[in-house]
Amino acid sequence: MVLNLAVMVSGRGSNLEAIAQSIVDKRLDARIKLVIINNDEAKGIDVCKKYSLNYEIIEHKNLKRQDHEAKVIEKLKSHELNLIVLAGYMRVLTKDFLNSFKLDNCDLYPVINIHPSLLPAFPGSNAYEEAFNYGVKVSGITVHLVDEKVDNGLIIDQACFYRDNNDSLDDFKAKGLKVEHELYPKVLQDINKNGIYYQHKTYYLNQYI
Ligand code: GAR
């Protein structure tokens, strides 16, 4: 099957690019139906242009969280989607948002996120810095389903990388980002083919949300 994705981005968009490129390379059977961007200065806009992706900028500035989410939900609902992919989307999604996209017969939301640490260590928006400053020797990347808590929810996959003694923070981030760009498309293809295993059952993302 071909997964219909919406990708949500706040900034640079390098994970969006990794996903778009993996579709071009036929490593991922998916279509990016829509990219939601919440910041009109996001570099992710250039990625959308480069790959001719359909995108919508829905600024959150000057809007109540609920009103911003209502606009995002309306846009997402105007497409036939199987999965919402957070790729550096730096806003917490409310339970109301998530409940708008609940899977039938299952208490999972078809919303997935990538986070640059081995969760549950170092949740939040500065995971690389916090892990580096803590002095970890091994760190990694987590892809997980989203729930109403920050960087929480069913872990789908993790991959690690090693820190050398002389690595700077930039070296550490560069190692992690390389892992992110390999892991996210691979996980998306894996759940496309093999579904999501949860509480002794496999759920396939074959319904529109
Ligand atoms: C990535 O490192 C991603 O893992 C992180 O934001 C960055 C976005 O980069 N996400 C989080 O920290 C989520 N808590 P990108 O815009 O280049 O993909």
Side-chain angles (χ1 to χ4, degrees), residues 11 25 29 33 40 52 58 63 65 75 77 82 107 118 121 130 145 156 169 174-176 179 182 185 188 190 194 204:
D25 296 343
D29 301 320
K33 302 284 280 186
D40 67 1
S52 303
I58 307 179
L63 283 181
R65 183 175 295 276
K75 272 293 160 207
K77 290 274 180 195
N82 303 111
D107 57 356
L118 292 173
E130 288 178 17
L145 291 189
I156 306 288
L169 175 59
K175 283 183 177 176
V179 176
E182 284 163 12
L188 293 172
D190 186 54
N194 303 316
Y204 291 94

Side-chain angles (χ1 to χ4, degrees), residues 112-120 139-146 151 153-160 179-180 182-191 194-197:
I112 198 165
N113 183 42
I114 189 161
H115 181 75
S117 73
L118 292 173
L119 289 173
S139 193
I141 306 301
T142 303
V143 176
H144 64 97
L145 291 189
V146 172
D151 299 323
L154 182 75
I155 290 178
I156 306 288
D157 206 353
Q158 294 182 306
C160 70
V179 176
E180 293 193 44
E182 284 163 12
L183 184 66
Y184 217 0
K186 183 173 89 57
V187 168
L188 293 172
Q189 182 66 350
D190 186 54
I191 61 177
N194 303 316
I196 293 168
Y197 189 69

Side-chain angles (χ1 to χ4, degrees), residues 5 21 24 27-28 47 67 75 92 115-116 119 125 129 137 140 148 150 154 157-158 168 177 183 188 197 202 209:
L5 309 176
Q21 187 60 46
V24 171
R27 285 177 282 123
L28 172 59
V47 177
D67 295 341
K75 272 293 160 207
V92 178
H115 181 75
L119 289 173
S125 56
E129 287 79 359
K137 295 290 182 190
E148 66 277 14
V150 176
L154 182 75
D157 206 353
Q158 294 182 306
S168 66
L177 205 57
L183 184 66
L188 293 172
Y197 189 69
T202 301
I209 53 178

Side-chain angles (χ1 to χ4, degrees), residues 77-143:
K77 290 274 180 195
S78 68
H79 293 269
E80 290 180 331
L81 300 173
N82 303 111
L83 181 67
I84 297 169
V85 177
L86 307 186
Y89 188 70
M90 296 314 222
R91 287 178 65 78
V92 178
L93 298 171
T94 65
K95 188 142 185 140
D96 284 347
F97 180 98
L98 294 170
N99 277 330
S100 314
F101 299 101
K102 209 164 173 323
L103 288 181
D104 294 342
N105 308 320
C106 170
D107 57 356
L108 294 175
Y109 303 106
V111 182
I112 198 165
N113 183 42
I114 189 161
H115 181 75
S117 73
L118 292 173
L119 289 173
F122 308 113
S125 56
N126 289 310
Y128 278 125
E129 287 79 359
E130 288 178 17
F132 183 85
N133 291 336
Y134 195 91
V136 300
K137 295 290 182 190
V138 181
S139 193
I141 306 301
T142 303
V143 176

